[in-house]
Amino acid sequence: MLTATYATIAIATEQDKTRNMLCRLQQYVETAWKSLHNLDLAFIDTAFGKLTQYDRFFRTRKIELYLIPSLRGMSRDAEIVIAELDSISARAATTLRTISEQLTNAIELGSSKATEICHSMQLYCRHMDMRLEKEERELMPLARRMLSVEQWFSIAAQLLSEQSGGLPDRRRRGESSQPSNGFRHRRTSANLH
């Protein structure tokens, strides 16, 4: 049972970090929204960079790499929750592509459609907030009920391996840890921390 506790605490700690990062991101987008009248494209591009950096982080979390794969195929309830999470992620990815296109068009046309872009950024943040809420309200309780001690042990072993510098199995085999959503970040290297 200690391994289940360790894995749960590690995932919960990462969830807290993810929530805090999203909160800071939402505040940054809110600042952009409030100062639309004197906002330039460089600021919007930096905000977009922060969104894409957050998205990359989000897709490489412990829940994505270890917990969800452990729950896949276990039950109809698990499949329903995972499908809903995947749907929210797909909407967020679509929103990021839309922001990228809006930003590219604004730069190419020399015009700022800051209102549309900021609205899309807020929409992305809402999607991610919904996803986190669903993970906390439905996925984690489901995992606690369904996963066996051996499965929690396996997850904990992977977390410990990752913590000690080992790479998750998927990364070692050269597989992508991110679901393919067709989105590639352009050029910014903004920092969320």
Side-chain angles (χ1 to χ4, degrees):
M1 206 53 167
L2 225 57
T3 55
T5 303
Y6 169 76
T8 303
I9 289 171
I11 290 169
T13 300
E14 187 176 62
Q15 284 294 92
D16 289 344
K17 177 182 178 183
T18 304
R19 269 234 182 262
N20 289 335
M21 289 171 67
L22 181 60
C23 183
R24 286 193 307 273
L25 189 58
Q26 288 171 315
Q27 290 169 349
Y28 194 84
V29 170
E30 186 65 28
T31 298
W33 184 260
K34 287 179 181 176
S35 54
L36 279 176
H37 59 280
N38 56 352
L39 193 64
D40 63 9
L41 288 176
F43 185 86
I44 293 175
D45 189 50
T46 299
F48 178 67
K50 290 178 182 294
L51 289 176
T52 57
Q53 182 182 11
Y54 178 80
D55 195 69
R56 282 190 305 272
F57 168 79
F58 196 90
R59 293 177 189 283
T60 59
R61 295 171 308 131
K62 293 165 180 54
I63 280 182
E64 292 285 338
L65 297 177
Y66 309 116
L67 191 64
I68 290 175
S70 296
L71 288 169
R72 283 199 189 277
M74 287 194 80
S75 74
R76 179 166 157 56
D77 289 342
E79 288 304 313
I80 289 170
V81 171
I82 292 169
E84 290 170 355
L85 293 173
D86 288 345
S87 174
I88 294 168
S89 290
R91 289 193 307 263
T94 298
T95 302
L96 274 182
R97 281 191 298 277
T98 300
I99 296 167
S100 178
E101 291 165 8
Q102 290 170 328
L103 192 53
T104 300
N105 289 338
I107 290 169
E108 287 174 0
L109 300 175
S111 68
S112 175
K113 295 189 171 198
T115 303
E116 289 175 35
I117 296 170
C118 286
H119 175 72
S120 295
M121 288 180 180
Q122 288 177 324
L123 180 61
Y124 170 82
C125 291
R126 281 195 300 273
H127 287 311
M128 300 315 279
D129 190 47
M130 280 177 26
R131 168 78 195 243
L132 285 170
E133 188 67 31
K134 188 163 211 49
E135 287 173 355
E136 292 162 5
R137 234 182 35 253
E138 296 179 39
L139 185 72
M140 289 305 296
L142 187 70
R144 285 186 203 99
R145 280 194 320 271
M146 297 190 73
L147 294 178
S148 68
V149 172
E150 292 81 20
Q151 289 166 314
W152 279 114
F153 181 81
S154 175
I155 291 170
Q158 291 172 315
L159 297 178
L160 288 170
S161 173
E162 181 181 283
Q163 188 177 28
S164 67
L167 294 174
D169 289 340
R170 299 169 80 175
R171 292 181 189 166
R172 263 188 297 227
R173 290 192 309 254
E175 295 174 22
S176 171
S177 60
Q178 295 181 13
S180 175
N181 58 18
F183 178 79
R184 288 199 182 13
H185 175 56
R186 297 179 309 113
R187 67 182 185 282
T188 191
S189 59
N191 188 4
L192 280 173
H193 302 293

